[in-house]
Amino acid sequence: MGHKEGYCSSAFRWNASRRKSAIRSVTIMEVGNGRGRNIDVLINRTRVRMMVDTGADITIVSSRLWQQMGEPVLKPSTIMARTASGEQLNLPGEFTAEITLAQQREDCVIRVASENLSLFGRDAMDIFNLWNVPLATVCNQLSSVSMGSNYFKDFEDLFLDEPGCCKKGRIQLVLKEGAIPVFRPKRPVAYAMMAAVNGELDRLEREGIITPVDYSSWAAPIVVVRKANGSIRICGDYSTGLNDALQPHQYPIPRPEDIFTALGQSKIFSQIDLSDAFLQVEVEENCRELLTVNTHRGLYVYNRLPPGIKSAPGPSSNSWTLCCRD
């Protein structure tokens, strides 16, 4: 009894004869002050600052932190933990919690210790697959930061339901020399989708994104795409003629090495999800007829940049280059 499981054959014979489970012994290490090796994680939606400890076999929080989390139900500890000096560590119990780290959520077993410990151990690193990530990257960049309610009040116009409008410039579409206008007939809309399509067309017209017209030399049929949240997106099928007639936008796409170098000195990173991103960029008035779509309700011209245009990713990327610094 007391031999380490998996390393001593006598431990297996002792378990077979006594018909009991061996207690697995693990090591807990905390070297130095841990400065520069701390991360902020969410444990059951409670923010906790932990030290990344690759020498600790398990993830541990103190009894005080466990109480701040609302005292989740504890189960008897299944392991016996010892410190690096060989002293036994008192573990009142363990619980399973959801840990959120850099937008990734995983379930992990967390042990509660009587001592003042807050260690992100090797078991959690296995779950989050962090072994191939440099330790400095884990500590410096994988910290979750929540936005306070003041941001939504101070920048209320940025969090409205309707799409915004980019004021940095307008999109110019250039036709190839000798391009001939292509007019395609409308496509039928399934009766089950008719109400949703009409509602989306009404929204786009109400927000000034599209405008009905009576005549156009160009026209493309629409394609209805259902989003993951259940809503729909109306796109023009510009592969029917317009895309072949457009000059490609020669925007130089940066290499990954260039991007990483530019972000090397950054400290705060944020994920932004623009609502109807393409539709936030205006199109020059003399180019809007090219973007005409043919629907079951007639012709509409796009005043904003619609998805489906071959050259759309180039100018939109050029307009929305975002640099994140200190």
Side-chain angles (χ1 to χ4, degrees), residues 19-269:
R19 294 183 180 180
K20 293 183 179 180
S21 298
I23 298 179
R24 185 163 59 92
S25 176
V26 298
T27 304
I28 302 300
M29 297 181 64
E30 186 178 8
V31 181
N33 56 14
R35 185 175 303 168
R37 293 189 285 132
N38 296 322
I39 58 174
D40 292 326
V41 300
L42 294 178
I43 301 179
N44 287 347
R45 299 187 179 182
T46 300
R47 188 167 304 282
V48 178
R49 190 163 183 80
M50 309 185 76
M51 185 178 74
V52 178
D53 194 342
T54 58
D57 291 330
I58 59 177
T59 298
I60 296 179
V61 296
S62 63
S63 300
R64 179 179 58 82
L65 289 176
W66 170 70
Q67 293 173 356
Q68 293 178 2
M69 298 174 196
E71 299 184 357
V73 179
L74 291 181
K75 297 180 181 179
S77 182
T78 57
I79 62 172
M80 179 179 63
R82 295 185 181 277
T83 63
S85 60
E87 299 176 358
Q88 186 171 343
L89 186 67
N90 183 24
L91 299 179
E94 62 187 33
F95 65 98
T96 301
E98 181 186 76
I99 298 181
T100 303
L101 176 62
Q103 310 302 323
Q104 183 179 354
R105 295 189 180 119
E106 301 291 347
D107 292 333
C108 181
V109 177
I110 301 177
R111 274 78 184 191
V112 179
S114 303
E115 287 76 3
N116 186 22
L117 292 174
S118 181
L119 304 180
F120 193 87
R122 293 164 57 185
D123 56 346
M125 295 190 68
D126 287 336
I127 294 175
F128 283 90
N129 195 24
L130 298 179
W131 288 109
N132 293 328
V133 180
L135 182 60
T137 303
V138 176
C139 298
N140 294 335
Q141 298 185 12
L142 299 185
S143 296
S144 301
V145 179
S146 62
M147 292 180 58
S149 58
N150 291 335
Y151 287 101
F152 297 96
K153 296 179 181 179
D154 297 340
F155 306 97
E156 185 177 1
D157 57 327
L158 298 180
F159 296 95
L160 299 176
D161 291 335
E162 67 262 13
C165 183
C166 178
K167 302 297 184 181
K168 297 298 183 180
R170 292 183 174 183
I171 299 301
Q172 179 77 34
L173 302 178
V174 181
L175 292 174
K176 296 178 180 177
E177 185 177 356
I180 300 175
V182 178
F183 187 98
R184 299 297 183 186
K186 67 179 184 298
R187 292 174 181 169
V189 178
Y191 291 111
M193 296 289 294
M194 189 69 70
V197 173
N198 286 331
E200 180 65 7
L201 289 174
D202 291 337
R203 182 187 74 86
L204 296 176
E205 183 177 355
R206 183 173 59 253
E207 295 177 357
I209 296 175
I210 60 175
T211 301
V213 294
D214 296 327
Y215 172 82
S216 176
S217 300
W218 295 82
I222 62 171
V223 177
V224 181
V225 180
R226 186 173 293 278
K227 300 180 183 179
N229 60 4
S231 61
I232 65 171
R233 176 186 291 115
I234 294 180
C235 307
D237 188 3
Y238 297 108
S239 64
T240 56
L242 178 61
N243 279 345
D244 292 335
L246 286 176
Q247 292 279 9
H249 188 88
Q250 302 296 342
Y251 179 77
I253 299 178
R255 301 177 304 164
E257 294 81 359
D258 300 332
I259 297 175
F260 297 148
T261 301
L263 298 179
Q265 303 301 320
S266 301
K267 297 180 180 179
I268 299 176
F269 296 85

Side-chain angles (χ1 to χ4, degrees), residues 271-324:
Q271 180 180 357
I272 183 171
D273 185 5
L274 299 178
S275 177
D276 294 327
F278 282 175
L279 299 181
Q280 297 195 26
V281 185
E282 287 188 299
V283 178
E284 290 287 356
E285 294 185 7
N286 61 338
C287 300
R288 294 177 182 179
E289 183 183 2
L290 303 176
L291 304 176
T292 305
V293 289
N294 201 346
T295 75
H296 65 285
R297 294 182 7 176
L299 300 176
Y300 289 89
V301 296
Y302 268 92
N303 305 315
R304 308 280 186 92
L305 183 65
I309 293 293
K310 176 179 66 174
S311 55
S316 62
S317 300
N318 195 11
S319 301
W320 299 343
T321 301
L322 179 64
C323 197
C324 181

